[in-house]
Amino acid sequence: MNGQNPIFIPGPTNIPDRLRAAMNVQSSDHRAPDFKEIFLPVLADVKKIFKMSGGEVIIFPASGTGGWEASVTNTLSPGDKVLVARYGMFSHRWIDLCQRQGLDVEIIECAWGSAAPADLFAQRLAADPEGRIKAVLVTHNETATGVRSDIAGVRKAMNASDHAALLFVDCVSSLGCMDFRMDEWGVDLAVAGSQKGFMLNTGMAIVGVSDKALAAMDSARCPRCFFDFRDMLAANQKGGYPYTPPLQLIHGLRASVDMLLEEGLDAVFARHFRLAEGVRQAVAAWGLTLCAQSADLYSDTVSAIYVPEGLNSDALTDHAYHTYDVSFGVGLGEMAGKAFRIGHLGSLSDLMVLSGLAGIEMAMKDLDYPIELGSGVAAAQAYYRKTAAGNTQ
Amino acid sequence: MNGQNPIFIPGPTNIPDRLRAAMNVQSSDHRAPDFKEIFLPVLADVKKIFKMSGGEVIIFPASGTGGWEASVTNTLSPGDKVLVARYGMFSHRWIDLCQRQGLDVEIIECAWGSAAPADLFAQRLAADPEGRIKAVLVTHNETATGVRSDIAGVRKAMNASDHAALLFVDCVSSLGCMDFRMDEWGVDLAVAGSQKGFMLNTGMAIVGVSDKALAAMDSARCPRCFFDFRDMLAANQKGGYPYTPPLQLIHGLRASVDMLLEEGLDAVFARHFRLAEGVRQAVAAWGLTLCAQSADLYSDTVSAIYVPEGLNSDALTDHAYHTYDVSFGVGLGEMAGKAFRIGHLGSLSDLMVLSGLAGIEMAMKDLDYPIELGSGVAAAQAYYRKTAAGNTQ
Amino acid sequence: MNGQNPIFIPGPTNIPDRLRAAMNVQSSDHRAPDFKEIFLPVLADVKKIFKMSGGEVIIFPASGTGGWEASVTNTLSPGDKVLVARYGMFSHRWIDLCQRQGLDVEIIECAWGSAAPADLFAQRLAADPEGRIKAVLVTHNETATGVRSDIAGVRKAMNASDHAALLFVDCVSSLGCMDFRMDEWGVDLAVAGSQKGFMLNTGMAIVGVSDKALAAMDSARCPRCFFDFRDMLAANQKGGYPYTPPLQLIHGLRASVDMLLEEGLDAVFARHFRLAEGVRQAVAAWGLTLCAQSADLYSDTVSAIYVPEGLNSDALTDHAYHTYDVSFGVGLGEMAGKAFRIGHLGSLSDLMVLSGLAGIEMAMKDLDYPIELGSGVAAAQAYYRKTAAGNTQ
Amino acid sequence: MNGQNPIFIPGPTNIPDRLRAAMNVQSSDHRAPDFKEIFLPVLADVKKIFKMSGGEVIIFPASGTGGWEASVTNTLSPGDKVLVARYGMFSHRWIDLCQRQGLDVEIIECAWGSAAPADLFAQRLAADPEGRIKAVLVTHNETATGVRSDIAGVRKAMNASDHAALLFVDCVSSLGCMDFRMDEWGVDLAVAGSQKGFMLNTGMAIVGVSDKALAAMDSARCPRCFFDFRDMLAANQKGGYPYTPPLQLIHGLRASVDMLLEEGLDAVFARHFRLAEGVRQAVAAWGLTLCAQSADLYSDTVSAIYVPEGLNSDALTDHAYHTYDVSFGVGLGEMAGKAFRIGHLGSLSDLMVLSGLAGIEMAMKDLDYPIELGSGVAAAQAYYRKTAAGNTQ
C-alpha cells in the first residue's frame, strides 16, 4: 500500500491532518499542572458527544475490547446474569468476553442482518421478576453487518417491565457518526473507541458511565486492576492518571472533540447519512443487496454488501487491495466470503467515497461480477449532486 | 477547503507522506559537515533525473521563475538575441522575463495548443549565419495548454543549420514525470522546480547546466547576484551555500530523488502516461476536446480541456471548488474561460484520478454540460482495468 | 510548558524526531497483508532487545500496568501464591495488582532504597519444598528509588533451592537502557512499555514470554480477555491481531528497535551509564545523597535524590516547573516530599542533561539549598569531557 | 548531528513545534479563494512586526539575499549612488550586491565591531547637496560581529542635512527579536527573512516597503523580474501571487506572527535581551571579550566572542561540533579564526542557553582555554535566577 488512497474499512478511519498534527506532540510531564489543564476539559467535553450530563467519562489506554471488559468487570460479579442478543461478530465477541469473565450470559440468537430485538428483550425481562438479569448489553452499530439497533426501543422494552437491569451499549462504531443519546435513551454505560468517529489513532477505550452504573462499582466483584474505574476516578478527580496516560491521544481527542463540536453533531450525523446513502444508491445500481434486513436498520458508518451467489467476497477485497491499492472490510464470521463491507465513517468527502465506489467497481468487473462500470458511481453522483450543500444548480 | 481531496492542478502536486516527513526536520547548521554530506550527493543524484552526466546542478531557493531568470542572466548579456516560440502562458512569461532583462527576443507566434515548431526554428536559425541568436528557449511542457514539445526535434533543427546557439528548456512541469534527456537531446540548460515532478513544497528552482552553458558564465554581463551561478558553484564546491540554504527542501529532495529512482524513471513515466490516458479516455467519453492539437502533443502531466461553446470554464472550476471541495486548473491567458485543466502529475493513484473525474462530472452536470454522470469515470475505469499492473483478471 | 526544554522524568522520555515521524502515519488496513509485513518482523526483533531466543513477544495496546496484569492473569490462578519484595512504589503497585487478582502474595518488606533481596528470596523458596510459590516477581529497576536489582542473583537464589517457580520481571524502566538478559538470567516473563527505553508514545505493554511461562497459559484460571495471551498468539500467528492494533505505535516500534540495534545494545547501555554517572557526579558536588543505598544499586535511568532535611522536594519540583519550565520526577510513596528524581533515560545528550542540572541548580538556589550555582554542572562537565567519545583533547 | 541539541548559530533558529506543525501542510490550490484568505491577513499582520502603517509588505520565495537584491533593483537605476558603511560580513555582502547591480557604492570603511557611523553618514550627506546619493543602506544587526546599529540615529543624521535619500535597512537578524520601528525611524525599506526572528524554515525574503520607496518603483531601471515589486503587488492586490507561492511557509508565517503578537513584541524583545545578557555574563566570567566595541552596541540575537590570542576559533567550533554535537557560529571574514559566535535568537529558553554555555565550556577546556568549567554557566544562572519571571524566591 502506498497510502495514497483512503481506506474503506469501518475503522480505523482516515485521520484528518488536523488530528495527525494534534497527536504529533513531544512528551511532557503527566504529573505537571498542564496535563490536568488539557485532560479535565476533554473529559467534560466528551460528555457532549455521548449526550450525557451526569456520570463520568473514563478513558483507558486500550482498544474498544478493553472498554467492553471494563464495562462488565466494574459493575458485575462472577455469576451475574446478563442478557445479550447475538446478531453479528461484535455482539458475539462481547458475549464471549462476558463468558470468560464468569458471567452467566443469556443469549438471544438472531439472524445476522437483524438488529437488537426489543420485543424479545421485553419478553425475557418480563420473565425475570426477581431481577436476576443485572444488565442488558446491546451493540448499537453491528460493524459486521452494517446494522444499527434502536437503543431507545430497547430502553422502552426495559421500562415496560420496570426492570432494574443496567443498559450497556457498545457504540464503538457509531459514536460521533450517528445519533447517540446517553441520557435520553437511559443508557447506563457506553463504550466507544478513539479510532472510529473520533478519527484518531487506535489506543483509547472511551467509556461513558452513568451515575447508576457508577453505583454498582463498589459491589462488583469481578477482579480488575488496569481497568478499574475506582483507581481511574480517584486519579482523574485530582487531574491525574493511575498510570502513564496516552498523552498524544489525549491531545488528539481535544482536537477531535473540537472538530465535532465546531461542525455540530447534527451536521456530523447528516454528513454520515448523506455519504452512506450515496453508497446505498450505488449498491442498488449494482443490483446487489445489503446484509441489513431493512432500510430502518441501515448503518450510516458501514455497509455490508452480499456478493452474488457463487462468488467469494474475500477474493474481491483481496483483488481490490492488490490491484487497486484500496482496502475494504472483509466479511466477518457468518458473512465470511459472502459479503464485503464499505466503511464510510469519519473523515470522508463525496470524492473520497466516489473513489472507493470506482475502485470496487473495477475489482468487481475484473472478477466478472454482473455490474456495469460507472453505474454505482453515477448513482452516488446523482445523489450527492442533489444533496450537495449550497448546490443551487 | 478541508484538504481531504487531492488537488488536480498542474502543480504544486499532492505531497506524499514520505516527503512531508522528509521536509519536516528541525534546523541544523548549514556550515557543519553534515550539511555537505546530504547536499552534495543530492546534487549528484538530481543529474540522474535530468539524464545529464557532465555540467552542474544548481539549486536556488526560489520558484521556477527564478530558474528562468538564472538561466538567461548567467549566460547572456543585455542586447543578446534569443529565439522563442510563444504557444502558451508559460512560454509567454519566459519571453516577458527575457525582455525585462534587456534581451532581444525574436518571437515565433504559434497557436495555443500547438508545440514548439522545430521547422520554424530551423528556418530562423538558418537565416542567422552570423550566429546572432545566442540561445533558443523552449518550454517542454506548456502547462497552460497541456502540450508537450519535441525537444529532440528542436535540437535536430538546430543541428541541421549547425547553429551554435544554446538550447534552454523549461521542464518545470515535465521533469520527473515525462521523459527528459539532457545529454541525448543536447539541452544546454534545463529549469525545473521542486513542486512538480519532485512532489515537494514550492521553494526550489532546480537548474541543470551543461558544460557549454557554464562556459558562457564568465562573459555573461546581465547583472545578477542572488541568482549568480558563480557564487553558487564556488560555495557548492566546498559543500557550502552562498547564503542560507533551504535545508528542509534539500532533505525533501533527497527523499524525492530516492522515490523516483527506486520506482525507476521508466516506470515513473509509464505511470504518468497511464493515468493521463485514463483522463483522456474520460474527456473523449464526455465528448469534449483537448486544447492540444494532436495526440502526439498530449502532455502526461496536465490536460487542458475546452468547455462547450457558450459555457465559461471559470464558472466550472469555481463551482467544483465551492460545491465539491476540489481544485482544478483554470484556463490561463487565451484559454481563460474557455478551458479548464486537470493536473495529473506527481503522487496520484487510479482512485485519486477517478475521484477527480467523478467530481468534475458532477460539477459539469450541475452546470448543464451535455454529459452523462459516470461516463468519463467508466471510460477511465475501463482503461485502468485493462492496464492495471498484474491484473490477470 | 512551552515544550522547549527536555523533560527529566523517568519516562515517558523525550521522543526523537525520527520516532515522532515514524509514528505519524496515516491509518491503514490492519487486515491487509502489509500489516503482517511490518508487524511480524518487529515482534522478532524485539526479542533481540529482551535477549530472548525462544518464547514469544506479545504487545498489548496498554500501559506497563496492563503488562503486569497480563503477566499474572495468563499464568496463574486465583489463590496461587507469588513471592514479591516491596522496596518502592512500583513493586508496591504490582503487589496490589496481584492481590486484586485474587493471588496470595507473600511480601518481603524491604527498605526503600534497597534492591530485590536475593538472600531472602532464597530463604523463602527453600522454606517452600511443596512448591506452593508459583512465581517470583521482581522489579528490575525501581523507578521510585533509582535502584537496579540483580536479576541474575535472584535467579541464582531460585536455582539454589531448585525451585520451580516462574520468574517474572518488570523491566519497564530498564529495557533498552540497562543490560537485560531474558535467556541468560532465566527470566520467564518480562514486562516493558513503549514510553521508556523505546522512546515512544505511551500505549504499548511489551511482554516477553518464555516457553515455560507459555506452558502455564492453559491451566491459568484468572479471568482475562483483553489481555489473554491465547487470543493474541492465535491472531499473531496469522499476522493478525485479536482486535484493532495500535498501528502507529507499531510503526514507531519498528523505528525504535532499528535505532537501538543500529547503535548496538552495548553502546546504548554505555551511553546510559555515562549520562547517569554525570548526574551522580553533580549530586555528589551538591553534597546531596541518592536514595539508592549503595553504588552497585545505582540505576542508570533515574536518580532519586534526597533533599536536605527540613526541605520539601515537591516545592522544589514545583518551583523548577513554574519558574524554569522544566519537569523532574517527584518523590513517590515513602519518598514523597523527601526526594526528587532526575530521569536520564532514552534520547538524551550531554548538553540536555547539563541543561537539566543547570535548571535544578537554579531552583535549589532559589529555595535556599546549600549549593553553589554551577557546581553540579561543573562536576558533570568534567566527567563528560573525560569520557566523551573520541575526545583526544 | 543527532538533532538532539539546540543550535546556537545566529539563524536559522530552532523551530518550535507549533511552527513545524504549521508548515507541515498538504498542497492546496494557490488560485483558490482560501489562499487569499490566509495570505492577505498575514501580509497585514507582518506590518505590525515591522511597526509600519502604510506601504506594503512583500514576500519573495528566496533568502534574505534576495531581499537585498529586491530592495535596490526595485528602487534604483544602474549608476545610482548609494551610501553604505562596511563594518562586518553582512554589510560587506550587501555592498558587493549593489556593485554587481551596477550601482555606484560610496563606502565608509569602519572597524569590525563598530556600528553604523551616524556622524560619518551625516558628513557625507551634508557633502551631497545635489542629492546624488539616492539611498543609505544600513545593516541593523551585523550578524558577523554581534553589533546593533542605531537606526534612529542614522535617520536623525539624514534629517539633519535634510537629505532626500531613501533609508534601507537590513533587519534580517533583528526583526522579531530586537526593537525595530519602520515608521518612527523613517525606514523606507526593510529586509527580513523567515529563518531568524520568525523562527521558520529558510525560504522567504520578507520586505517592508514604505510609500516613499514604492514611489521610486516606476522610475527604477535596474532589470528585474522574479524580484519585481510591480508583479508582486499587482498579484497580491487580487489575493494572488505572480508565480507559485511558498504555501507552507505562508502557513508558517501565519503561526509565527500569531506567536509573536500573542507574546507581545515588547515581551519578545525583553526575552531576547535577558537571554543575551546571560550569555554576556558568561563571557565576562570566562574573561573573554565581545567583538562589539561597547555595551550600547551589543546585539541581543548574537554574541561574537574573541578567543584568546594564539587560539583558533574554528578549532573550537569544530571540536564542539564533533565532540559535543553542538553548533556555534564560526568567525566570518575578518573574524575568521579569531572569534566564534553564539546565536541566541528565536525559540530559546534559559535551559537551552545554559546547555550551550555548558557545551562550549567543555570544548574550551578541552582546548586548554584558561577558563573554569561551570564558571560561565554559573554567571548566567545567577542572572537568569535574578530575572526569572515571577521568581519571588
Side-chain angles (χ1 to χ4, degrees):
Chain A
M1 291 285 283
N2 273 319
Q4 296 178 297
N5 296 328
I7 50 173
F8 298 97
I9 57 172
T13 69
N14 303 285
I15 309 175
D17 262 23
R18 178 171 168 188
L19 297 188
R20 288 180 64 185
M23 290 186 286
N24 184 11
V25 293
Q26 185 51 276
S27 290
S28 64
D29 179 10
H30 53 282
R31 291 199 180 86
D34 52 0
F35 174 71
K36 180 179 177 164
E37 283 158 26
I38 174 141
F39 184 49
L40 295 185
V42 166
L43 290 180
D45 285 342
V46 170
K47 286 190 171 183
K48 299 176 191 167
I49 312 297
F50 278 117
K51 295 187 179 170
M52 65 193 283
S53 45
E56 299 286 352
V57 166
I58 294 177
I59 294 177
F60 292 107
S63 76
T65 303
W68 290 344
E69 183 158 322
S71 71
V72 296
T73 57
N74 280 284
T75 53
L76 302 171
S77 300
D80 275 357
K81 174 170 280 202
V82 297
L83 177 63
V84 201
R86 172 152 48 201
Y87 45 87
M89 187 47 114
F90 293 86
S91 38
H92 165 73
R93 287 194 186 154
W94 205 3
I95 288 168
D96 174 56
L97 183 146
C98 289
Q99 290 172 329
R100 285 155 73 172
Q101 289 294 341
L103 301 176
D104 172 13
V105 189
E106 183 171 338
I107 304 171
I108 305 176
E109 298 288 351
C110 303
W112 286 37
S114 69
D119 49 348
L120 298 182
F121 280 130
Q123 286 178 19
R124 303 287 179 113
L125 293 164
D128 177 44
E130 317 83 357
R132 292 191 49 247
I133 295 170
K134 297 301 179 201
V136 175
L137 277 56
V138 185
T139 302
H140 184 209
N141 185 65
E142 176 49 73
T143 319
T145 58
V147 163
R148 167 168 42 177
S149 286
D150 175 11
I151 304 298
V154 173
R155 164 52 63 197
K156 215 167 146 190
M158 294 174 71
N159 289 349
S161 57
D162 218 1
H163 201 285
L166 294 162
L167 174 57
F168 292 176
V169 178
D170 165 358
C171 57
V172 170
S173 62
S174 59
L175 193 77
C177 306
M178 297 189 287
D179 196 10
F180 186 83
R181 307 181 185 192
M182 183 98 178
D183 281 359
E184 189 180 327
W185 296 346
V187 175
D188 291 303
L189 194 152
V191 177
S194 50
Q195 81 279 16
K196 308 275 181 170
F198 289 109
M199 304 168 286
L200 297 167
N201 292 357
T202 303
M204 290 193 296
I206 302 168
V207 188
V209 192
S210 71
D211 288 319
K212 188 176 165 194
L214 289 172
M217 202 162 64
D218 289 321
S219 55
R221 293 189 330 274
C222 281
R224 61 201 184 271
C225 187
F226 181 75
F227 287 122
D228 199 317
F229 284 175
R230 292 164 301 183
D231 299 284
M232 190 58 81
L233 291 173
N236 289 179
Q237 211 136 16
K238 292 180 283 189
Y241 214 76
Y243 32 72
T244 315
L247 185 82
Q248 287 77 10
L249 285 168
I250 290 168
H251 280 271
L253 188 59
R254 171 71 278 160
S256 168
V257 169
D258 286 347
M259 280 181 78
L260 292 171
L261 296 180
E262 285 165 15
E263 183 176 357
L265 287 179
D266 286 344
V268 169
F269 303 149
R271 172 168 55 79
H272 277 84
F273 170 80
R274 182 175 167 273
L275 290 177
E277 186 59 25
V279 171
R280 294 188 285 255
Q281 297 285 333
V283 171
W286 295 329
L288 298 181
T289 312
L290 290 165
C291 299
Q293 290 179 338
S294 56
D296 57 310
L297 307 185
Y298 290 162
S299 165
D300 289 338
T301 59
V302 56
S303 295
I305 302 158
Y306 283 117
V307 299
E309 197 84 10
L311 292 168
N312 183 336
S313 62
D314 286 351
L316 179 66
T317 50
D318 265 16
H319 182 72
Y321 176 82
H322 285 108
T323 307
Y324 302 109
D325 205 24
V326 54
S327 286
F328 294 90
V330 296
L332 295 177
E334 286 193 11
M335 300 300 181
K338 296 186 197 157
F340 70 98
R341 294 173 299 148
I342 301 181
H344 33 71
L345 74 169
S347 176
L348 281 176
S349 67
D350 297 8
L351 264 67
M352 290 165 85
V353 171
L354 290 168
S355 77
L357 298 175
I360 199 71
E361 277 185 358
M362 291 193 289
M364 290 195 285
K365 196 73 186 172
D366 288 343
L367 299 181
D368 295 323
Y369 281 55
I371 65 118
E372 199 182 333
L373 284 179
S375 60
V377 170
Q381 283 176 310
Y383 180 75
Y384 291 148
R385 281 189 55 212
K386 200 175 65 185
T387 55
N391 194 5
T392 55
Q393 302 300 332
Chain B
M1 292 286 281
N2 272 319
Q4 296 178 297
N5 296 328
I7 50 173
F8 298 96
I9 56 172
T13 68
N14 303 287
I15 309 174
D17 262 22
R18 177 171 168 188
L19 298 188
R20 288 179 64 186
M23 291 187 285
N24 184 12
V25 293
Q26 184 52 275
S27 290
S28 63
D29 179 10
H30 53 283
R31 292 199 180 87
D34 53 358
F35 175 70
K36 180 179 178 162
E37 285 158 24
I38 174 141
F39 185 48
L40 294 185
V42 166
L43 290 180
D45 285 342
V46 170
K47 284 190 171 182
K48 300 176 190 168
I49 312 297
F50 277 117
K51 294 186 180 172
M52 65 192 284
S53 46
E56 299 285 352
V57 166
I58 294 177
I59 294 177
F60 292 107
S63 76
T65 302
W68 291 342
E69 185 157 324
S71 70
V72 296
T73 56
N74 279 284
T75 53
L76 302 171
S77 300
D80 276 357
K81 174 169 280 202
V82 298
L83 177 63
V84 202
R86 172 154 47 202
Y87 45 87
M89 186 46 112
F90 292 87
S91 38
H92 165 73
R93 285 193 188 156
W94 205 3
I95 289 168
D96 174 55
L97 182 145
C98 289
Q99 291 172 329
R100 285 154 74 171
Q101 288 295 343
L103 301 176
D104 174 13
V105 189
E106 183 171 337
I107 303 171
I108 306 176
E109 297 287 352
C110 304
W112 286 37
S114 68
D119 50 348
L120 298 182
F121 279 131
Q123 286 178 19
R124 303 287 179 110
L125 292 165
D128 177 43
E130 316 85 357
R132 292 192 47 249
I133 296 170
K134 298 301 179 201
V136 177
L137 278 55
V138 185
T139 302
H140 184 209
N141 185 64
E142 177 49 72
T143 319
T145 59
V147 164
R148 167 168 42 176
S149 286
D150 175 10
I151 303 300
V154 173
R155 166 50 65 195
K156 216 168 145 189
M158 294 173 71
N159 288 349
S161 57
D162 219 1
H163 200 286
L166 294 162
L167 174 58
F168 292 176
V169 177
D170 165 359
C171 57
V172 170
S173 62
S174 60
L175 194 76
C177 305
M178 297 190 288
D179 197 9
F180 186 83
R181 307 179 185 193
M182 183 99 178
D183 282 357
E184 188 181 327
W185 296 346
V187 174
D188 292 302
L189 193 152
V191 178
S194 50
Q195 81 280 15
K196 307 275 181 170
F198 290 108
M199 302 168 288
L200 297 167
N201 292 357
T202 302
M204 291 193 297
I206 301 168
V207 187
V209 192
S210 72
D211 288 319
K212 187 175 165 195
L214 289 172
M217 203 162 62
D218 288 322
S219 56
R221 295 190 329 273
C222 281
R224 61 200 185 274
C225 187
F226 181 76
F227 287 122
D228 201 317
F229 283 175
R230 293 165 300 184
D231 300 284
M232 191 57 82
L233 292 173
N236 288 178
Q237 211 137 16
K238 293 181 283 188
Y241 214 76
Y243 31 73
T244 316
L247 185 82
Q248 286 76 11
L249 285 168
I250 290 169
H251 280 271
L253 189 58
R254 171 71 276 161
S256 168
V257 169
D258 287 346
M259 280 181 78
L260 292 171
L261 296 178
E262 285 165 15
E263 183 176 358
L265 287 179
D266 287 344
V268 169
F269 303 150
R271 173 168 55 80
H272 277 84
F273 170 80
R274 181 173 168 274
L275 291 177
E277 186 59 25
V279 170
R280 292 188 285 256
Q281 297 286 334
V283 171
W286 295 329
L288 298 182
T289 312
L290 291 166
C291 298
Q293 290 178 340
S294 56
D296 57 310
L297 306 185
Y298 291 162
S299 163
D300 289 338
T301 59
V302 56
S303 295
I305 301 158
Y306 283 118
V307 299
E309 198 83 11
L311 293 168
N312 184 335
S313 62
D314 286 352
L316 179 66
T317 49
D318 266 17
H319 182 72
Y321 175 82
H322 285 108
T323 307
Y324 302 109
D325 206 24
V326 55
S327 285
F328 294 90
V330 295
L332 295 177
E334 286 193 12
M335 300 299 180
K338 294 186 198 157
F340 70 98
R341 294 174 299 148
I342 301 181
H344 33 72
L345 73 169
S347 176
L348 281 176
S349 66
D350 297 8
L351 264 67
M352 289 164 86
V353 172
L354 290 168
S355 77
L357 298 176
I360 198 71
E361 277 185 359
M362 291 194 289
M364 290 195 286
K365 195 75 186 170
D366 288 343
L367 299 180
D368 294 323
Y369 280 55
I371 64 118
E372 199 183 331
L373 284 180
S375 60
V377 169
Q381 283 175 309
Y383 180 75
Y384 291 148
R385 281 190 56 213
K386 201 175 61 184
T387 55
N391 194 4
T392 56
Q393 302 299 334
Chain C
M1 292 286 281
N2 273 318
Q4 298 178 296
N5 296 329
I7 50 173
F8 298 96
I9 57 172
T13 69
N14 303 287
I15 309 174
D17 262 23
R18 176 171 170 189
L19 298 188
R20 287 179 65 185
M23 291 187 285
N24 184 9
V25 293
Q26 184 51 276
S27 290
S28 64
D29 179 10
H30 52 283
R31 291 198 180 88
D34 53 359
F35 175 70
K36 181 180 178 162
E37 285 159 23
I38 174 139
F39 185 49
L40 294 186
V42 166
L43 290 181
D45 285 342
V46 170
K47 284 191 172 182
K48 300 176 190 166
I49 311 298
F50 278 116
K51 295 188 180 170
M52 64 192 283
S53 45
E56 300 284 351
V57 166
I58 294 178
I59 295 177
F60 292 107
S63 75
T65 303
W68 290 343
E69 183 157 326
S71 71
V72 295
T73 57
N74 280 283
T75 53
L76 302 172
S77 300
D80 276 357
K81 174 171 279 204
V82 297
L83 176 63
V84 201
R86 173 152 49 201
Y87 45 87
M89 187 47 113
F90 293 87
S91 40
H92 166 72
R93 285 193 187 155
W94 204 3
I95 289 168
D96 174 55
L97 182 145
C98 290
Q99 292 172 327
R100 285 154 76 172
Q101 289 294 342
L103 302 176
D104 174 12
V105 188
E106 184 171 336
I107 304 171
I108 306 176
E109 299 288 352
C110 305
W112 287 37
S114 68
D119 50 346
L120 299 182
F121 280 131
Q123 287 178 19
R124 303 287 178 113
L125 293 165
D128 177 44
E130 317 84 359
R132 291 191 49 247
I133 295 170
K134 297 301 179 200
V136 176
L137 277 56
V138 185
T139 302
H140 183 209
N141 185 64
E142 176 50 72
T143 320
T145 58
V147 165
R148 168 169 41 176
S149 287
D150 174 12
I151 303 299
V154 173
R155 164 52 65 193
K156 215 167 146 192
M158 294 174 71
N159 288 349
S161 57
D162 218 1
H163 201 286
L166 294 162
L167 174 58
F168 292 177
V169 178
D170 165 358
C171 56
V172 169
S173 63
S174 60
L175 193 76
C177 305
M178 297 189 287
D179 196 10
F180 187 82
R181 309 179 184 193
M182 183 99 178
D183 282 358
E184 188 180 325
W185 296 346
V187 175
D188 291 303
L189 194 152
V191 177
S194 50
Q195 81 280 14
K196 307 275 181 169
F198 290 109
M199 303 168 286
L200 297 167
N201 292 357
T202 303
M204 291 193 297
I206 301 169
V207 187
V209 192
S210 72
D211 288 319
K212 186 175 166 195
L214 289 173
M217 202 163 61
D218 289 321
S219 56
R221 294 192 328 275
C222 281
R224 61 201 184 271
C225 187
F226 181 75
F227 287 123
D228 200 318
F229 285 174
R230 294 165 298 182
D231 299 283
M232 191 57 82
L233 292 173
N236 288 180
Q237 211 137 16
K238 292 180 283 188
Y241 214 76
Y243 32 73
T244 315
L247 185 80
Q248 286 77 10
L249 285 169
I250 290 169
H251 279 272
L253 188 59
R254 169 73 276 161
S256 168
V257 170
D258 287 346
M259 281 181 77
L260 292 171
L261 296 179
E262 285 165 14
E263 183 176 357
L265 287 179
D266 286 343
V268 169
F269 304 150
R271 172 168 55 79
H272 277 83
F273 170 80
R274 181 175 169 275
L275 290 177
E277 186 58 25
V279 171
R280 293 188 285 255
Q281 298 285 333
V283 171
W286 294 329
L288 298 182
T289 312
L290 291 166
C291 299
Q293 290 178 338
S294 57
D296 57 310
L297 306 186
Y298 290 163
S299 165
D300 290 337
T301 59
V302 57
S303 295
I305 301 157
Y306 283 117
V307 299
E309 198 83 10
L311 293 167
N312 183 336
S313 62
D314 286 352
L316 179 65
T317 50
D318 266 16
H319 182 70
Y321 176 82
H322 285 107
T323 307
Y324 302 109
D325 206 23
V326 55
S327 286
F328 294 89
V330 294
L332 295 178
E334 286 193 11
M335 301 298 181
K338 295 186 198 157
F340 69 98
R341 294 175 300 148
I342 301 182
H344 33 72
L345 74 169
S347 176
L348 280 176
S349 67
D350 297 8
L351 264 67
M352 291 164 84
V353 171
L354 290 168
S355 77
L357 298 176
I360 198 72
E361 276 185 359
M362 291 194 288
M364 289 195 287
K365 195 75 185 168
D366 288 343
L367 299 180
D368 294 323
Y369 281 55
I371 64 120
E372 199 182 332
L373 284 179
S375 59
V377 170
Q381 283 176 309
Y383 180 76
Y384 291 148
R385 281 188 58 212
K386 200 176 61 184
T387 55
N391 194 5
T392 56
Q393 301 299 332
Chain D
M1 292 285 282
N2 273 318
Q4 297 178 297
N5 296 329
I7 49 174
F8 298 97
I9 57 173
T13 68
N14 303 287
I15 309 175
D17 262 22
R18 177 172 169 187
L19 298 188
R20 288 180 64 185
M23 292 187 284
N24 184 10
V25 293
Q26 184 50 278
S27 290
S28 64
D29 179 10
H30 52 282
R31 292 197 179 87
D34 51 0
F35 175 71
K36 181 180 177 161
E37 284 158 25
I38 175 140
F39 185 50
L40 295 185
V42 166
L43 290 180
D45 285 341
V46 170
K47 285 191 171 183
K48 299 176 191 167
I49 311 297
F50 279 116
K51 294 187 181 170
M52 64 193 283
S53 46
E56 299 285 351
V57 166
I58 293 177
I59 294 176
F60 292 107
S63 74
T65 303
W68 289 344
E69 183 157 325
S71 71
V72 295
T73 57
N74 280 284
T75 53
L76 302 171
S77 301
D80 275 358
K81 174 169 280 204
V82 298
L83 177 63
V84 201
R86 172 153 48 202
Y87 45 87
M89 187 47 113
F90 292 87
S91 39
H92 165 73
R93 285 194 187 153
W94 204 3
I95 289 168
D96 174 57
L97 183 146
C98 289
Q99 291 172 329
R100 285 154 75 170
Q101 289 294 342
L103 301 176
D104 173 13
V105 188
E106 183 171 335
I107 305 171
I108 305 176
E109 299 289 352
C110 303
W112 287 37
S114 70
D119 49 347
L120 297 181
F121 280 131
Q123 286 178 19
R124 303 287 178 111
L125 293 165
D128 177 45
E130 317 85 358
R132 292 192 46 248
I133 295 169
K134 297 301 179 201
V136 176
L137 277 55
V138 186
T139 302
H140 184 209
N141 184 65
E142 176 49 73
T143 319
T145 57
V147 164
R148 167 167 44 175
S149 286
D150 174 12
I151 303 299
V154 173
R155 165 51 65 196
K156 216 167 145 191
M158 294 174 71
N159 288 349
S161 58
D162 218 2
H163 201 286
L166 294 162
L167 174 58
F168 292 177
V169 178
D170 166 358
C171 57
V172 169
S173 61
S174 59
L175 193 76
C177 306
M178 296 189 288
D179 196 9
F180 186 82
R181 307 180 185 193
M182 184 99 177
D183 282 358
E184 189 180 325
W185 296 347
V187 175
D188 292 303
L189 194 151
V191 177
S194 49
Q195 82 278 16
K196 308 274 181 171
F198 290 109
M199 302 168 287
L200 297 167
N201 292 357
T202 303
M204 291 193 298
I206 301 168
V207 188
V209 193
S210 72
D211 289 320
K212 188 176 166 195
L214 289 172
M217 202 162 61
D218 289 321
S219 56
R221 294 191 328 276
C222 282
R224 62 202 184 270
C225 187
F226 181 75
F227 288 122
D228 200 320
F229 285 175
R230 294 164 300 183
D231 300 283
M232 190 57 82
L233 291 173
N236 288 179
Q237 211 136 18
K238 292 181 284 189
Y241 214 76
Y243 32 72
T244 315
L247 185 81
Q248 286 78 8
L249 285 168
I250 291 169
H251 279 272
L253 189 58
R254 170 72 277 161
S256 168
V257 170
D258 287 346
M259 278 181 79
L260 292 170
L261 297 179
E262 284 165 15
E263 183 176 357
L265 288 178
D266 286 344
V268 169
F269 304 149
R271 173 168 54 80
H272 277 84
F273 170 79
R274 181 174 167 276
L275 290 177
E277 186 57 26
V279 171
R280 293 188 286 256
Q281 298 285 332
V283 171
W286 296 329
L288 298 181
T289 313
L290 290 166
C291 300
Q293 292 179 336
S294 56
D296 57 309
L297 306 186
Y298 290 163
S299 165
D300 290 337
T301 60
V302 56
S303 295
I305 301 157
Y306 283 117
V307 299
E309 198 83 11
L311 292 168
N312 183 336
S313 63
D314 286 352
L316 179 66
T317 50
D318 266 17
H319 182 71
Y321 176 81
H322 285 107
T323 306
Y324 302 109
D325 205 23
V326 55
S327 286
F328 294 89
V330 295
L332 295 176
E334 287 193 11
M335 301 300 181
K338 296 186 198 158
F340 70 97
R341 294 174 299 149
I342 301 181
H344 34 71
L345 73 170
S347 176
L348 282 175
S349 66
D350 296 8
L351 264 66
M352 291 165 85
V353 171
L354 290 168
S355 77
L357 298 176
I360 199 71
E361 276 185 359
M362 290 193 288
M364 290 195 286
K365 195 75 186 169
D366 287 344
L367 300 180
D368 294 323
Y369 280 54
I371 64 119
E372 199 183 333
L373 284 179
S375 61
V377 170
Q381 283 175 310
Y383 180 76
Y384 292 149
R385 279 189 58 211
K386 199 176 64 186
T387 56
N391 194 5
T392 55
Q393 301 299 333

